């Protein structure tokens, strides 16, 4: 029921995702009448779907604390419940991010070894592969252990979603030197450097102007800095394309140039269109929950569904749990060595 | 002596600034032989300049703690000393930012009422006027009082540099609601809302994707978030123009489009060229110190010099000191009212 386009966009997106991956099955949670009305226009989707009626919805104005009290009656709450009860492999929502996070955290709980979940997304780069960024806003403040856990979760996500063996992983900082930034960052650098065998290549700090150069696969930050960086990137991409459009339309000669260079502009648009990178994932929970951007169109929703399906197929959460167990085993000094220095 | 181009670029920039503002006078601090060699190519500048020989220079690798011990022998230290002794109105350097900040803070001290200086810069927007951003990296962590002081300093800077009467001033945050973000931000919002008469229009929180929409004149943040936002903006602008260049050269038809649309691209480049917005200012010190970007060309250096000259002419520091005095007077409850409630 969420997102700017409501059920119409969500179901058109599901139909598109199904056309691309015919083995998908859907549990559609929300107002049954509205869902049935839309499903009449998507025969194949109707045949691949069950409907779960929810009498209520979470709106964009609901506070997380209010939302969690309505878990049993709202489409968002019931969709997460279906993940918890393993009726479905993943939930995809275009609704209120804060409410989705709070409900998912409460119902699903974190994976063993994970103190806090993080919101992760994939962004385009100038390199061969995209880059995973996390946390994008789930945790305003983080300690060094949170950041280390985010690094491991982000790397597992990159291995799964981007098919990268040993993701180059960096901490977002205000300088590349390892003594820069907050105490939490310095401690996280030390912990990641000290560990004997991480399932990632830790490359130290990265500054925000290099996020999309294609030199790293995972960028780790607290949710405040990550959200600032993500939005600054989104805003600037829009700023530059707006400027460009304005400058192209500033003279007849330029208008002609714009027409002729349409294929180039199209390429640019495809690369920058957030719909092609839609689907932020809450990593670290006992279940997969994907957030589709509220303004995503049906193509964007289909991408978010594809992200969710890939994470289910590749069993991302099993990978994270394994990596965390390995990390903790290697970080705990063997009992026999205690006091044996002499 | 600083910056990628050293004395050659700095003096070419000074010559350009002098050509634009013939009333400028220069004290050129650094290696005398190198300076004399460059001045031979700039007759007018030579006539408007004195030279102060400095046997030593601060390099990009010097730590701030090392730099401050060499204040009396280095070009950077002697230039700041000249500001302190009122021999010059302002210092402009393209050298090591951390060293410049540490040396300037130690030699010049902060203005009355200012606990910490902040690094401020001016960025382009889609609106009629540019936007002032601060702090861009001088203070990794800030409390609410620091943020309030930054707001007042940033607004004074916008009134001076951008000629805006009552600058619309916002705090950089991860949501526009006033209960978002860190405790420091919430407290700063409350303080700015509570004050009866600020020399600015406080408009609440702003998200990083709206910095350059032209809806605010001053964006206030701690130095960590501000640096992340600034660099994400710079990196994305470069990312998009790189993508664009790449897509334009991907077909003959597009190459033709590129040629025809050159004026549009030129307009875009002028708007985005960091040299046109060069010159970050350390606000809050007893003296004006401007940082020119290390990669700035002569046009960029000339802009940094023009920024410094404008702040001297408009007496920015007097304005900040006045605003701070007014703020503190209005924030302190009158003595007579204490204990008089009954």
């Amino acid at each position: 029921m969420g997102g700017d386009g409501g059920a119409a966009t969500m179901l058109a997106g599901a139909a598109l995702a199904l056309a691309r991956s015919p083995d998908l099955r859907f549990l559609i949670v929300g107002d049954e009448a509205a869902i049935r009305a839309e499903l009449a226009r998507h025969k194949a989707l109707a045949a691949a779907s069950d409907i779960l009626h929810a009498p209520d919805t979470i709106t964009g104005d609901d506070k997380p604390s209010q939302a969690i009290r309505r878990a049993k009656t709202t489409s968002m709450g019931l969709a997460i419940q279906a993940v918890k009860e393993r009726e479905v492999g993943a939930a995809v929502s275009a609704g209120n991010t804060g409410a989705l996070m709070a409900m998912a955290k409460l119902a699903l709980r974190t994976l063993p070894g994970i103190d806090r979940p993080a919101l992760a997304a994939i962004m385009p780069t100038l390199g061969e592969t995209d880059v995973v960024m996390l946390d994008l806003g789930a945790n305003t403040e983080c300690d060094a252990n949170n950041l280390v856990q985010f690094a491991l979760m982000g790397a597992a996500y990159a291995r799964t979603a981007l098919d990268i063996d040993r993701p180059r992983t960096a901490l977002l900082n205000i300088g590349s030197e390892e003594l820069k930034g907050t105490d939490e960052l310095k401690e996280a650098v030390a912990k990641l450097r000290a560990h004997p065998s991480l399932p990632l290549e830790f490359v130290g700090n990265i500054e925000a102007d290099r996020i999309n150069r294609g030199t790293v696969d995972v960028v780790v930050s607290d949710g405040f800095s990550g959200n600032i960086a993500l939005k600054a990137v989104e805003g600037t991409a829009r700023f530059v394309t707006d400027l460009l459009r304005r400058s192209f339309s500033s003279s007849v000669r330029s208008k002609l140039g714009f027409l002729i260079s349409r294929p180039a502009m199209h390429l640019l648009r495809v690369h920058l269109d957030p719909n092609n990178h839609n689907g932020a994932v809450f990593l670290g929970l006992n279940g997969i929950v994907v957030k589709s951007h509220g303004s995503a169109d049906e193509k964007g929703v289909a991408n978010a569904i594809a992200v969710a399906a890939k994470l289910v197929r590749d069993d991302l959460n099993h990978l994270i749990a394994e990596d965390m167990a390995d990390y903790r085993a290697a970080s705990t000094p063997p009992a026999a060595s205690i006091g044996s220095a002499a």
Side-chain angles (χ1 to χ4, degrees), chain A:
Chain A
M1 308 304 290
D4 302 347
T9 304
M10 292 305 281
L11 292 179
L16 184 57
L18 180 65
R20 290 173 182 169
S21 301
D23 61 337
L24 290 175
R25 290 298 171 269
F26 294 89
L27 179 68
I28 303 170
V29 192
D31 179 74
E32 184 162 0
I35 294 167
R36 289 214 183 277
E38 290 300 328
L39 279 185
R41 303 160 59 189
H42 302 289
K43 299 291 176 206
L45 179 64
S49 300
D50 291 313
I51 298 174
L52 177 60
H53 176 68
D56 192 8
T57 50
I58 302 292
T59 70
D61 299 326
D62 286 322
K63 293 208 178 112
S65 55
Q66 301 168 325
I68 52 176
R69 276 179 246 133
R70 284 152 57 209
K72 290 189 160 55
T73 53
T74 53
S75 47
M76 194 183 272
L78 291 172
I80 291 169
Q81 193 59 27
V83 174
K84 183 178 181 180
E85 287 164 12
R86 302 289 181 256
E87 288 172 46
V88 297
V92 176
S93 168
N96 183 324
T97 310
L100 185 65
M101 180 81 212
M103 286 175 127
K105 208 169 146 181
L106 192 68
L108 303 174
R109 307 280 166 183
T110 54
L111 289 165
I114 302 291
D115 297 316
R116 295 183 184 188
L119 187 61
I122 291 176
M123 290 178 44
T125 74
L126 287 173
E128 297 292 309
T129 53
D130 291 338
V131 61
V132 169
M133 275 189 73
L134 77 166
D135 174 26
L136 297 175
N139 309 281
T140 303
E141 279 158 302
C142 294
D143 66 20
N145 285 325
N146 297 143
L147 293 171
V148 169
Q149 291 163 19
F150 296 173
L152 285 163
M153 296 197 293
Y157 185 38
R159 281 151 70 202
T160 311
L162 306 179
D163 291 315
I164 299 169
D165 260 359
R166 232 175 140 240
R168 296 162 299 174
T169 302
L171 295 170
L172 184 64
N173 204 333
I174 57 171
S176 51
E177 310 84 356
E178 307 215 336
L179 289 172
K180 281 271 184 181
T182 59
D183 291 342
E184 292 77 17
L185 279 164
K186 288 177 215 166
E187 197 186 328
V189 167
K191 278 176 187 279
L192 288 164
R193 282 261 175 257
H195 203 273
S197 59
L198 295 169
L200 55 87
E201 182 191 345
F202 179 58
V203 295
N205 291 322
I206 190 170
E207 293 187 71
D209 57 345
R210 304 197 53 78
I211 292 171
N212 44 27
R213 302 313 286 181
T215 55
V216 302
D217 305 308
V218 180
V219 174
V220 175
S221 65
D222 64 79
F224 193 90
S225 318
N227 190 282
I228 296 280
L230 174 75
K231 289 199 177 135
V233 167
E234 287 176 350
T236 308
R238 208 160 51 233
F239 171 66
V240 176
T241 44
D242 283 1
L243 263 187
L244 203 67
R245 198 169 298 124
R246 200 183 278 187
S247 65
F248 266 128
S249 56
S250 64
S251 75
V252 175
R253 189 174 177 230
S254 290
K255 268 186 191 151
L256 190 64
F258 188 70
L259 283 178
I260 291 177
S261 59
R262 227 183 225 173
M265 288 299 286
H266 177 72
L267 201 151
L268 186 67
R269 219 163 21 233
V270 167
H271 211 95
L272 287 180
D273 184 351
N275 285 309
N276 292 325
H277 290 86
N278 189 35
V281 182
F282 289 124
L283 294 179
L285 295 174
N286 270 310
I288 289 167
V289 177
V290 172
K291 171 66 172 64
S292 174
H293 201 287
S295 65
D297 63 13
E298 61 185 79
K299 205 176 57 177
V301 173
N303 274 323
I305 293 171
V307 166
K310 183 156 174 53
L311 298 182
V312 173
R313 281 198 196 97
D314 295 351
D315 206 354
L316 171 69
N317 281 346
H318 183 70
L319 189 62
I320 292 177
E322 270 187 353
D323 286 354
M324 278 312 303
D326 290 349
Y327 176 81
R328 291 164 88 193
S331 303
T332 315
S337 76
I338 294 175
S340 69

